């Protein structure tokens, strides 16, 4: 069993920044494929960013086009955490953000998530 807990969400004005963190217990995240997803009201959950393990402590990162250049996914293996730094936030970024762990590669359109966090709300006001 893996427990994922997200934190760092909140209310921010458009153009501002937030940093999300995902802390895991029950699993060493450095060995896993991980990602961030989000779900806005009335919409399906969508891919935001992923950090897929290539081998050892080498990872491949990818981003949804709508966040590329504004969001940064990063790992802290010593702390067993995954972060998402979000800059230049827009109203369209308002959603519940979820951390995910998968034993298979997380792609933008293809993924099988083994564990989800409970989500953290991000609200961007104009």
């Amino acid at each position: 069993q893996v427990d994922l807990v997200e934190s760092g969400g909140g209310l921010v004005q458009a153009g501002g920044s937030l940093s999300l963190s995902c802390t895991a217990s029950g699993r060493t995240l450095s060995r896993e494929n991980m990602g961030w997803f989000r779900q806005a009201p009335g919409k399906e959950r969508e891919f935001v960013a992923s950090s897929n393990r290539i081998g050892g402590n080498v990872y491949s990162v990818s981003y949804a086009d709508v966040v590329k250049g504004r969001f940064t996914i990063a790992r802290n293996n010593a702390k067993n955490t995954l972060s998402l730094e979000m800059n230049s936030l827009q109203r369209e970024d308002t959603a519940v953000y979820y951390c995910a762990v998968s034993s298979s590669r997380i792609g933008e359109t293809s993924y099988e998530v083994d564990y989800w966090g409970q989500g953290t709300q991000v609200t961007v006001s104009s």
Side-chain angles (χ1 to χ4, degrees), residues 58-72:
V58 180
Y59 306 93
S60 172
V61 300
S62 61
Y63 299 92
D65 286 344
V66 293
V67 306
K68 200 171 293 183
R70 300 187 297 122
F71 290 12
T72 302

Side-chain angles (χ1 to χ4, degrees), residues 9-71:
L11 174 65
V12 64
Q13 287 189 331
S17 300
L18 278 176
S19 182
L20 305 183
S21 182
C22 174
T23 301
S25 60
R27 188 72 62 91
T28 301
L29 297 184
S30 62
R31 303 172 184 170
E32 305 291 343
N33 299 307
M34 300 199 66
W36 286 97
F37 294 77
R38 67 187 184 186
Q39 187 167 18
K43 295 186 178 181
E44 294 186 352
R45 191 171 298 188
E46 64 176 5
F47 168 84
V48 174
S50 64
S51 173
N52 290 303
R53 188 182 184 215
I54 296 176
N57 285 337
V58 180
Y59 306 93
S60 172
V61 300
S62 61
Y63 299 92
D65 286 344
V66 293
V67 306
K68 200 171 293 183
R70 300 187 297 122
F71 290 12

Side-chain angles (χ1 to χ4, degrees), residues 74-86:
R75 296 175 181 249
N76 185 324
N77 290 337
K79 295 184 177 180
N80 212 34
T81 60
L82 180 75
S83 65
L84 184 70
E85 185 72 27
M86 305 184 294

Side-chain angles (χ1 to χ4, degrees), residues 68-126:
K68 200 171 293 183
R70 300 187 297 122
F71 290 12
T72 302
I73 188 172
R75 296 175 181 249
N76 185 324
N77 290 337
K79 295 184 177 180
N80 212 34
T81 60
L82 180 75
S83 65
L84 184 70
E85 185 72 27
M86 305 184 294
N87 297 312
S88 301
L89 283 162
Q90 305 165 1
R91 288 189 63 185
E92 295 73 25
D93 296 317
T94 294
V96 177
Y97 283 71
Y98 297 91
C99 175
V101 169
S102 176
S103 56
S104 57
R105 182 183 179 278
I106 297 175
E108 183 170 355
T109 57
S110 176
Y111 49 85
E112 292 183 9
V113 172
D114 298 323
Y115 299 98
W116 293 99
Q118 85 289 349
T120 185
Q121 177 70 48
V122 171
T123 303
V124 184
S125 64
S126 57

